[in-house]
Amino acid sequence: MKIYCLTIGIFLLVGSATLLLHRIQFICRARTVSAVVVDKIFRNASSETRSSRAKVLKLSYDHPSFGPTNYVCDTSILTPLFDINDKLKLSILGNKVLINHWLYVILAPASLLVFGILCIYMWFKL
């Protein structure tokens, strides 16, 4: 169990650093466009799937290649921070879209970092 915690902890720390560097590299290479918060919608609100209580941002922006487009954010962490008609920056590279906000950029790498530190802490305590 001890070696398992150390191995998983190291993989999570390396994954956290890799993901953060990938997101920063993506933002540096991508085109930045301005988006407007159109609505706050429930995620997966359809008749086939159970709707969740988490509201996410629906953004409207002008894609450089495709014209006016909508984007639904994949996390509800940013929803309380923005109101309807607020402006956000989006980084677009090909068909991939990333919200260019510092909290969104570090959210996933920070959670992996916390889990990695917890695994290594458990390795010390075992």
Side-chain angles (χ1 to χ4, degrees):
M1 183 68 176
K2 194 171 182 177
I3 202 79
Y4 176 76
C5 285
L6 178 64
T7 305
I8 296 300
I10 290 171
F11 277 125
L12 287 172
L13 291 177
V14 170
S16 170
T18 304
L19 182 60
L20 181 63
L21 291 174
H22 177 70
R23 284 184 169 198
I24 291 171
Q25 180 189 23
F26 181 87
I27 288 173
C28 290
R29 290 180 32 214
R31 292 182 68 179
T32 302
V33 297
S34 183
V36 177
V37 178
V38 176
D39 198 6
K40 294 181 179 183
I41 60 172
F42 287 106
R43 190 78 169 150
N44 296 333
S46 71
S47 60
E48 291 87 22
T49 60
R50 183 178 66 91
S51 63
S52 70
R53 295 200 166 272
K55 281 194 169 188
V56 294
L57 298 175
K58 182 177 181 181
L59 305 169
S60 177
Y61 66 98
D62 212 8
H63 194 282
S65 302
F66 306 128
T69 310
N70 288 330
Y71 174 70
V72 177
C73 184
D74 57 350
T75 183
S76 62
I77 300 293
L78 295 177
T79 305
L81 301 177
F82 296 101
D83 293 325
I84 295 175
N85 293 328
D86 282 349
K87 293 189 187 294
L88 275 172
K89 297 286 184 188
L90 295 180
S91 295
I92 301 172
L93 186 63
N95 290 334
K96 296 180 183 178
V97 178
L98 185 70
I99 297 175
N100 195 348
H101 188 270
W102 66 270
L103 181 61
Y104 186 78
V105 171
I106 66 167
L107 185 64
S111 61
L112 289 177
L113 180 70
V114 167
F115 287 128
I117 289 171
L118 284 174
C119 285
I120 291 177
Y121 176 75
M122 291 302 297
W123 173 69
F124 278 121
K125 291 297 178 181
L126 288 178

